Amino acid sequence: MREHLEVSPGLRLRRWSPADAGAVLAAFADPVMAWQSGEPVVGLPAARRWLAARAEQWDAGSAFAFAVVDGADAVLGNAAVGAVDRRHRTGWVSYWTTAAARGRGVASGGCRAVADWAFRDAGLFRLELGHRVNNPASCRVARAAGFAVEGIQRRKLEYDGVRHDVELHARLATDPEPPPVPPVRPGRAAAG
């Protein structure tokens, strides 16, 4: 299975590396990322454990996580297929981006690329993903990557004592290819 994928000029996916611990720690410092990991990633040891878990899952064939990086190999996000069920050839897609990468097409490109990889390289047939209904940006990513809406899972997730409905999407290996993802827009210049 390929461990490196070219998405578009200036955007590619590669397997996570232990050298990415600082980038993982920086990504999880964003308050929006607090819900993206079972264990809080608040120090380098936690970032290393997060990376080690991704490597163990890859080696076991139970989940495959890619760092989404730019042309300079700077981490922009994560695109993964997990909960792999070989008998039914299914998996669960997830993605996140760093604060600086949001709104630039990074998540859509990464999600589409990891889905294509899951069908071609991992031999999966059905991929699912879900997002809180109050997260329209994640819905746009799913739709841009060719995932069709299948329904609402009522009060599926609980964060900070609040239950959230989740919109479920799925994509099949036999679905038509989604329209091409526009090239990733360059990062915004930092304010001076």
Side-chain angles (χ1 to χ4, degrees):
M1 286 190 276
R2 292 174 296 159
E3 296 183 3
H4 296 84
L5 308 169
E6 293 298 322
V7 177
S8 64
L11 187 68
R12 62 188 177 86
L13 274 60
R14 65 162 170 79
R15 191 169 170 181
W16 285 99
S17 158
D20 294 321
V24 168
L25 181 60
F28 280 95
D30 180 354
V32 171
M33 294 290 293
W35 297 339
Q36 297 294 330
S37 179
E39 171 193 358
V41 180
V42 293
L44 277 175
R48 289 185 189 106
R49 285 191 299 276
W50 188 91
L51 288 165
R54 305 293 80 77
E56 289 168 14
Q57 292 166 344
W58 186 295
D59 293 342
S62 62
F64 303 93
F66 291 89
V68 183
V69 298
D70 66 12
D73 203 43
V75 172
L76 303 174
N78 176 69
V81 59
V84 172
D85 181 329
R86 292 285 176 200
R87 179 177 182 331
H88 297 291
R89 297 175 41 215
T90 61
W92 183 265
V93 171
S94 61
Y95 43 85
W96 53 258
T97 58
T98 63
R102 292 188 193 122
R104 296 175 34 207
V106 170
S108 320
C111 181
R112 180 181 174 144
V114 81
D116 292 343
W117 176 90
F119 295 141
R120 293 186 178 113
D121 288 44
L124 300 182
F125 178 78
R126 177 183 169 85
L127 299 173
E128 298 176 349
L129 66 80
H131 61 83
R132 293 181 327 277
V133 295
N134 65 348
N135 186 348
S138 192
C139 188
R140 287 190 297 274
V141 168
R143 288 175 182 260
F147 284 76
V149 174
E150 290 196 331
I152 301 293
Q153 297 171 305
R154 297 177 308 137
R155 297 185 176 188
K156 180 175 182 177
L157 302 176
E158 181 177 355
Y159 296 114
D160 298 328
V162 177
R163 304 258 0 145
H164 296 269
D165 291 350
V166 170
E167 186 170 72
L168 180 65
H169 295 248
R171 183 172 163 195
L172 307 179
T174 54
D175 285 346
E177 283 289 315
V181 174
V184 171
R185 294 181 297 281
R188 298 177 191 103

